[in-house]
Amino acid sequence: MMGIKNIVFDLGGVIIDLDREKAVRHFEQIGVTDAEALIDAYEQKGIFLEVEDGRIDAEEFRRKLSVHTGKQLSLEDVTNAWLGFVVDVPQYKLDYILSLRKMYKVYLLSNTNPILQLQWAQTPRFTAAGRPLNDYFDKLYTSYEIGVTKPDRRIFEYMIADSGMIPAETLFVDDGKSNIEVGKSFGFQTYMPVNGEDWRKPIDAILEK
């Protein structure tokens, strides 16, 4: 086994504890009656997918969702609904990631959208420590900026080419089975935690091999 030089983390379900049902309820409360059919823990559908793969921006999403619900929604309404996904952002995980950066290149590869990122994650509101998500990583690779979502191979290809990482020297940590399978096909070493897991010891064990 080649020594690990890079670690790639997913965001939702790995760093952030998620609650899909709460997110569905939040969107239903602002009038998205079919939220149950549109919202997924791993890959969205309809306009929810369009904002995650970059086809539409935050303002276009707000406008389309307003049309969809038949009422004028503000960016704040939409942001608060997206934040329904978030149960907790455990600071201990972020502190651990900072400690990893002393020895490894650490990246984020996430299916996410500009609303969650620019209104929350990449602002001091993200953590109790008052530090934005980008403070914790060497680089963020987000689906809406790259224009494709996991598990599509193209988002992995983009990250590999841009970072210069060698998959065999990279640990990929993601809670999605299909994402892990694609990661393995590239030659990444992988770990698949469950939502809410404290994965520090399992990752330490992999890194110590």
Side-chain angles (χ1 to χ4, degrees):
M1 182 181 289
M2 292 184 75
I4 291 171
K5 295 180 181 175
N6 319 287
I7 307 170
V8 178
F9 287 96
D10 179 29
L11 182 60
V14 175
I15 295 167
I16 297 172
D17 298 343
L18 296 183
D19 185 340
R20 176 190 168 273
E21 298 313 313
K22 186 159 74 81
V24 168
R25 290 197 303 273
H26 276 226
F27 275 104
E28 286 173 346
Q29 285 164 9
I30 63 168
V32 185
T33 55
D34 55 348
E36 182 69 45
L38 290 169
I39 295 172
D40 187 85
Y42 299 106
E43 189 167 20
Q44 310 303 339
K45 299 176 181 68
I47 61 171
F48 288 81
L49 176 59
E50 288 177 17
V51 76
E52 290 217 330
D53 67 15
R55 279 177 284 171
I56 61 175
D57 62 13
E59 173 56 25
E60 181 73 355
F61 179 82
R62 184 203 64 75
R63 191 186 66 75
K64 283 191 169 188
L65 202 64
S66 295
V67 171
H68 186 79
T69 59
K71 63 182 184 182
Q72 194 63 27
L73 298 172
S74 67
L75 184 57
E76 186 180 8
D77 292 332
V78 175
T79 303
N80 289 338
W82 275 111
L83 285 170
F85 267 114
V86 181
V87 177
D88 189 23
V89 184
Q91 187 64 42
Y92 74 82
K93 292 182 177 179
L94 294 165
D95 292 341
Y96 176 79
I97 288 168
L98 280 181
S99 73
L100 290 175
R101 288 182 67 191
K102 295 171 185 173
M103 295 178 64
Y104 307 94
K105 286 280 191 181
V106 183
Y107 303 98
L108 183 92
L109 180 64
S110 175
N111 286 355
T112 186
N113 64 72
I115 300 160
L116 268 181
Q117 288 296 311
L118 304 180
Q119 302 298 318
W120 175 65
Q122 294 183 37
T123 78
R125 292 174 60 197
F126 179 61
T127 63
R131 297 181 69 174
L133 175 67
N134 23 320
D135 270 14
Y136 294 92
F137 293 88
D138 288 286
K139 187 157 186 179
L140 308 182
Y141 292 100
T142 61
S143 58
Y144 74 93
E145 290 178 301
I146 296 169
V148 64
T149 55
K150 295 179 292 185
D152 192 303
R153 295 182 65 84
R154 289 174 295 170
I155 195 168
F156 290 87
E157 288 165 351
Y158 180 95
M159 176 182 69
I160 292 165
D162 182 77
S163 67
M165 67 176 63
I166 297 169
E169 296 176 346
T170 305
L171 174 63
F172 175 51
V173 183
D174 194 293
D175 68 325
K177 188 170 183 288
S178 55
N179 300 336
I180 288 288
E181 287 170 354
V182 173
K184 283 180 176 175
S185 77
F186 277 99
F188 287 103
Q189 299 178 51
T190 62
Y191 181 69
M192 188 171 76
V194 297
N195 184 28
E197 176 184 337
D198 178 355
W199 32 253
R200 291 174 296 178
K201 283 185 179 177
I203 288 180
D204 280 341
I206 293 168
L207 297 175
E208 286 164 8
K209 284 181 182 175

